Amino acid sequence: MSRRPIMAGVAVCFMGVVLGVAGKGMLYPRESESRNMKNLDGMWNFRADASPSRNQGFDQQWYKSPLSQTGPVIPMPVPSSFNDITQEKALRDYVGWVWYDREFFVSTDWRKHRVVLRFDSAHYYSVVWVNSQEVMQHDGGHLPFEEDINSFLTFGSSNRVTIAVNNTLTPHTLPPGSVTYKTDTTRYPAGYFVQNVQMDFFNYGGIHRHVRLYTTPNTYVDDITITTDIAVSKGVVNFNVDSGGSPGATSVKVEVVDKAGNVVGSADRMSGVITVTNPHLWYPYTMTTDTPAYLYVLKVSLVSSTGTDIYRLPFGIRTVHVTDSQILINNKPFYCQGVAKHEDSDIRGKGLDYALIAKDFNLLKWLGVNCFRTSHYPYAEEIMDQADQQGIMVIDESPGVGIDEDENFSNISLLHHMEVMSELVKRDKNRPSVFMWSVANEPRSDKAISEAYFRSVIGHTRSLDHTRPVTFVSDQTHTSDKALQFVDVICYNRYDGWYSDLGHTELIQLQLGTDLDATRVKYRKPIIITEYGADTIPGLHGDPSVSFTEEYQVEFLEEYHKLFDAKIGKYLVGEMVWNFADFMTVQGLQRVVGNKKGLLTRQRQPKPAAFTLRSRYLAMGNITSPTPSVPVLPVIG
Ligand code: BDP
């Protein structure tokens, strides 16, 4: 790690600390008879550390007093990225430690319970204090972290939570990046540095998701793992419950509850199998019926002398299998009618926004989409909840994007990547919508060094979950890629007619067809095109079409679609347009205020290509359903 001042701030805090949350459960906080919750969202006090070293906050121990006593603070909404909230360019582009704090009360009733402080995500490194005492650190931007904080609290009186968050990307973060110091003092002031990113999206920073306190009894349900299977007319629910705290549990009851509230199976053990007769299987969304996906609830009641802890986990009964040419959901072929997404929007950056989540899911269904990829990082749990409830299949991707430089393949990076996969699988393992893990997007998998790296990351992910396929998304070819050998499904990003032979839509079918057929011959695995797209400025026209016009985007997609149609039923098992909506990137000569490959603008208004895709997906119907649909014409809108 560089000894430059900005990195020193990171090194000081993280050296020698065991990071991550791999050792314990990470169940989504849910209220129940035994669990209370207090939301700490809202306006927090905020201060960016603008000192040249970015380390003044640690040097002066800003966590020791209210932040407002250390210097000027501004109100900052939580959740949100801090970047686009003010009119300050310096804050939009800020790199380093930012500090937040707020006061809160906990009732005296909570004294006898376990109290947990949970951040659903903060980008990227975080250090958290309660009443001036450090309670936890976390390394990574898109996954939750939590800690028991009883012993740090003052019950029945005011408490203060302080968090320092650093958005610096280094060669060993995911995504990786680097910092360059500009030393030519004739051109740059002393200490001037820039953050280099290796990915094509804005590096938003801050507290991006909910911050909550929740209680449990002192002996509590720490983790639940469910895998499901189907045997003739029975649903097989394999479960495992981990308890935490002390004293130990004296008994447990595990019940499967259907949508109507009926208990349809139960057990009195911490792990085992419950069979459900004539189960309602969880199926991907189908336009013909437009019914929500079927979710059961696993109700766990854990009894100890400290009380009974009750946790209700929604889950679906479904299977995923991969053959050499198909993905099977409930033993029926699945075709991914997809889009790749991003989580950002105006003003809030990557901050959780329920209105945006609802709008995006309505748009996904309007488009006839049954599948998306969480490009290029884990999405909010509230988004994943909607995918589970609405039956949208998800390729769940880690933040492993831009793994390009040799240092990004080092052992330090590998260990962190494996830790991130552990955290992601722990968080999302029970979600029926998640049908595949993606460990990375477009790494330099043509480098020899990538082979051992991806053997390890993919092998590690399989060892965590043997019920789902594992992949990474490649922009290499069947001849150059060193790691495709390890994946279950080949995922390719392709830009024929855009990043090569720009303007020549007439070449797309030939070039892509040759490429896919050769890949198929070599690997004999199913293939999904996980990205294809063309930047399009809304309202820009050209006939005959030229790049960046709305006409070009439509023509471009249509050429891909012709080739896809020729490969569906052979080995092509899905397609995903890049991108669902325009999104923000760093400034660059190829980007006119962000990436414009969206079917929708950043404000979620459709470009003509959205209608092209909608007609296609609605006409395709959905072959994976209890009663496979015949193609139907639009039923929505
Ligand atoms: C692909 C990347 C994606 C980019 C896209 C593009 O996976 O993150 O946004 O290209 O250039 O290479 O639009």
Side-chain angles (χ1 to χ4, degrees):
M1 192 171 277
S2 156
R3 271 184 274 132
R4 295 289 192 170
I6 187 170
M7 307 313 293
V10 173
V12 163
C13 294
F14 287 87
M15 221 158 14
V17 174
V18 179
L19 299 169
V21 291
K24 52 184 193 173
M26 195 47 71
L27 292 171
Y28 187 71
R30 293 178 198 279
E31 283 184 308
S32 75
E33 299 85 326
S34 61
R35 294 178 172 227
N36 287 309
M37 199 140 67
K38 185 181 175 84
N39 199 323
L40 296 183
D41 294 352
M43 286 293 186
W44 289 45
N45 306 306
F46 175 90
R47 183 174 181 197
D49 183 342
S51 64
S53 69
R54 301 292 198 255
N55 227 29
Q56 193 181 25
F58 286 94
D59 294 342
Q60 297 181 352
Q61 302 182 316
W62 287 357
Y63 49 88
K64 285 255 164 103
S65 54
L67 209 49
S68 58
Q69 290 176 12
T70 69
V73 294
I74 58 169
M76 184 57 69
V78 171
S80 82
S81 303
F82 59 75
N83 308 79
D84 291 332
I85 298 295
T86 71
Q87 297 309 100
E88 301 299 325
K89 198 187 265 192
L91 185 58
R92 184 193 64 203
D93 299 332
Y94 178 86
V95 179
W97 290 107
V98 295
W99 292 71
Y100 293 73
D101 82 356
R102 66 159 284 168
E103 307 281 319
F104 63 94
F105 285 85
V106 281
S107 117
T108 44
D109 298 349
W110 281 21
R111 192 193 304 271
K112 53 185 182 299
H113 299 289
R114 168 178 172 250
V115 181
V116 182
L117 172 63
R118 188 192 212 250
F119 286 80
D120 289 359
S121 85
H123 188 75
Y124 183 89
Y125 298 99
S126 303
V127 187
V128 181
W129 297 261
V130 171
N131 296 330
S132 306
Q133 298 177 75
E134 186 180 322
V135 294
M136 62 182 144
Q137 300 189 6
H138 186 253
D139 179 1
H142 308 273
L143 290 162
F145 49 101
E146 65 177 28
E147 198 51 77
D148 296 7
I149 59 162
N150 289 59
S151 53
F152 302 95
L153 288 171
T154 314
F155 291 90
S157 171
S158 179
N159 294 274
R160 187 179 68 253
V161 55
T162 309
I163 178 170
V165 188
N166 193 322
N167 61 347
T168 309
L169 300 180
T170 77
H172 306 299
T173 55
L174 276 190
S178 60
V179 170
T180 306
Y181 282 82
K182 305 284 193 179
T183 50
D184 179 353
T185 49
T186 64
R187 305 188 64 220
Y188 301 96
Y192 198 87
F193 63 86
V194 289
Q195 166 83 73
N196 312 302
V197 298
Q198 297 166 197
M199 78 279 189
D200 183 39
F201 55 91
F202 195 88
N203 187 36
Y204 283 109
I207 305 175
H208 282 153
R209 298 177 191 157
H210 290 305
V211 184
R212 284 178 282 219
L213 292 169
Y214 68 90
T215 67
T216 73
N218 287 317
T219 302
Y220 56 93
V221 179
D222 182 45
D223 199 10
I224 303 171
T225 307
I226 299 176
T227 62
T228 59
D229 214 335
I230 306 165
V232 199
S233 58
K234 290 196 171 13
V236 180
V237 181
N238 306 295
F239 67 90
N240 184 71
V241 178
D242 289 324
S243 70
S246 61
T250 50
S251 68
V252 66
K253 189 163 195 66
V254 181
E255 295 164 296
V256 175
V257 184
D258 71 9
K259 254 190 179 169
N262 302 313
V263 176
V264 294
S266 66
D268 297 323
R269 291 183 304 281
M270 296 292 277
S271 68
V273 181
I274 298 174
T275 50
V276 178
T277 309
N278 296 324
H280 296 273
L281 300 183
W282 187 97
Y283 272 101
Y285 170 67
T286 158
M287 285 76 67
T288 42
T289 55
D290 191 23
T291 47
Y294 198 97
L295 291 176
Y296 290 90
V297 165
L298 194 82
K299 180 181 174 194
V300 177
S301 310
L302 187 79
V303 183
S304 77
S305 58
T306 68
T308 301
D309 189 23
I310 297 182
Y311 190 89
R312 292 179 181 81
L313 177 70
F315 73 99
I317 299 179
R318 63 109 184 82
T319 57
V320 182
H321 294 105
V322 176
T323 71
D324 68 355
S325 56
Q326 287 184 318
I327 294 177
L328 302 172
I329 304 297
N330 302 335
N331 300 317
K332 292 176 197 289
F334 171 66
Y335 188 77
C336 163
Q337 298 167 199
V339 287
K341 282 188 95 270
H342 263 295
E343 228 182 356
D344 74 323
S345 74
D346 286 352
I347 304 173
R348 282 169 176 241
K350 282 201 189 344
L352 180 89
D353 178 346
Y354 284 107
L356 185 74
I357 294 173
K359 182 72 176 174
D360 278 5
F361 272 86
N362 288 332
L363 281 163
L364 288 172
K365 294 169 89 169
W366 177 80
L367 286 166
V369 162
N370 65 7
C371 176
F372 68 82
R373 174 166 63 118
T374 67
S375 36
H376 297 304
Y377 39 81
Y379 288 3
E381 289 161 276
E382 293 74 14
I383 296 177
M384 304 302 281
D385 280 348
Q386 288 306 306
D388 284 345
Q389 288 168 25
Q390 304 202 32
I392 307 290
M393 306 286 284
V394 177
I395 300 178
D396 205 353
E397 186 159 278
S398 88
V401 52
I403 304 177
D404 296 342
E405 307 299 327
D406 285 0
E407 209 182 340
N408 309 152
F409 290 98
S410 66
N411 279 343
I412 303 175
S413 293
L414 174 63
L415 287 174
H416 178 56
H417 200 152
M418 297 206 300
E419 171 77 17
V420 168
M421 290 315 301
S422 299
E423 290 184 26
L424 176 60
V425 172
K426 180 158 289 182
R427 194 194 75 160
D428 288 348
K429 63 189 169 183
N430 296 317
R431 296 193 173 276
S433 58
V434 174
F435 74 102
M436 182 152 65
W437 305 109
S438 165
V439 302
N441 179 72
E442 295 190 358
R444 283 293 305 275
S445 47
D446 57 326
K447 290 190 170 183
I449 199 173
S450 73
E451 184 171 345
Y453 185 94
F454 281 105
R455 180 190 290 116
S456 300
V457 177
I458 290 174
H460 172 70
T461 308
R462 271 206 195 94
S463 75
L464 298 167
D465 178 9
H466 62 275
T467 68
R468 291 178 179 88
V470 184
T471 194
F472 74 94
V473 171
S474 173
D475 64 345
Q476 298 295 323
T477 66
H478 71 284
T479 48
S480 64
D481 201 296
K482 305 283 186 290
L484 284 178
Q485 55 180 313
F486 305 120
V487 304
D488 297 305
V489 175
I490 292 190
C491 291
Y492 265 172
N493 292 348
R494 289 299 185 254
Y495 287 93
D496 306 287
W498 189 258
Y499 288 123
S500 61
D501 295 305
L502 179 68
H504 293 279
T505 48
E506 74 278 7
L507 298 176
I508 288 171
Q509 291 190 57
L510 172 67
Q511 294 186 350
L512 187 63
T514 312
D515 173 15
L516 296 189
D517 286 346
T519 303
R520 168 67 185 174
V521 168
K522 178 162 180 187
Y523 289 106
R524 300 212 65 79
K525 295 177 184 180
I527 301 176
I528 300 180
I529 298 297
T530 33
E531 285 184 28
Y532 68 108
D535 282 275
T536 305
I537 311 293
L540 196 64
H541 295 289
D543 183 20
S545 75
V546 285
S547 48
F548 295 101
T549 63
E550 293 184 341
E551 287 76 11
Y552 190 82
Q553 188 182 31
V554 169
E555 255 176 65
F556 177 98
L557 298 189
E558 283 175 349
E559 286 307 300
Y560 276 80
H561 297 161
K562 287 179 205 156
L563 190 274
F564 295 161
D565 287 344
K567 305 301 174 192
I568 293 175
K570 298 188 173 132
Y571 54 74
L572 190 73
V573 294
E575 56 189 84
M576 296 180 146
V577 175
W578 189 259
N579 188 287
F580 171 74
D582 294 345
F583 58 91
M584 193 45 70
T585 63
V586 289
Q587 298 181 51
L589 294 176
Q590 282 191 329
R591 300 286 176 254
V592 186
V593 194
N595 188 308
K596 293 282 189 291
K597 295 194 183 70
L599 297 167
L600 310 160
T601 64
R602 213 168 172 225
Q603 291 72 33
R604 277 30 181 191
Q605 293 306 321
K607 302 177 193 171
F611 296 94
T612 305
L613 194 80
R614 178 171 190 257
S615 308
R616 171 174 176 76
Y617 283 173
L618 294 181
M620 286 168 90
N622 187 337
I623 54 175
T624 320
S625 72
T627 46
S629 65
V630 285
V632 283
L633 283 174
V635 290
I636 315 168

